[in-house]
Amino acid sequence: MIYDHAGCCKEDIVQAMGMQIRDLFYDTEPRSPNWKAYVEAREKRRIEAVYNYVSINGAYAFTKIRLEGKKIIYGKLQNDRFTYGLGHDVGRRSYKAIYGSLQAINKAIAENRPIFTLIR
């Protein structure tokens, strides 16, 4: 609560405190966390690319992030948060997931177009 005994306007008081009027009110809408900024700060590297993988049924499986210096990390994006890792005893190959759009692959199959894959 702010109360001025000298008759100054509230904008001047708030500005003198180094704030803005909006800083005096509680946000009713939760702010979504910036997961990319979190990862970059934690890794001390910039994100160069994000790859979302889908399972063979089309559901989201996991995310692969490529950072500066060719560092790769894996994890899951849920509720605008990135969680490191895929599970203790679970390897990424056990997900039977692909990068890209399952709908685009199915469309290419239906149109008899070639599909190129990289096998490692």
Side-chain angles (χ1 to χ4, degrees), residues 35-36 39-40 46-52 63-68 71-73 99:
W35 67 268
K36 288 183 180 180
V39 170
E40 288 179 339
R46 191 176 59 78
I47 292 175
E48 292 182 339
V50 176
Y51 307 99
N52 291 315
T63 298
K64 172 182 169 182
I65 299 174
R66 189 181 79 230
L67 300 157
E68 285 178 319
K71 181 175 181 180
I72 304 291
I73 57 174
Y99 168 68

Side-chain angles (χ1 to χ4, degrees), residues 100-119:
S101 166
L102 192 60
Q103 293 80 12
I105 292 171
N106 287 333
K107 183 179 177 189
I109 291 169
E111 295 173 358
N112 202 24
R113 293 189 338 220
I115 299 170
F116 299 95
T117 61
L118 175 64
I119 301 172

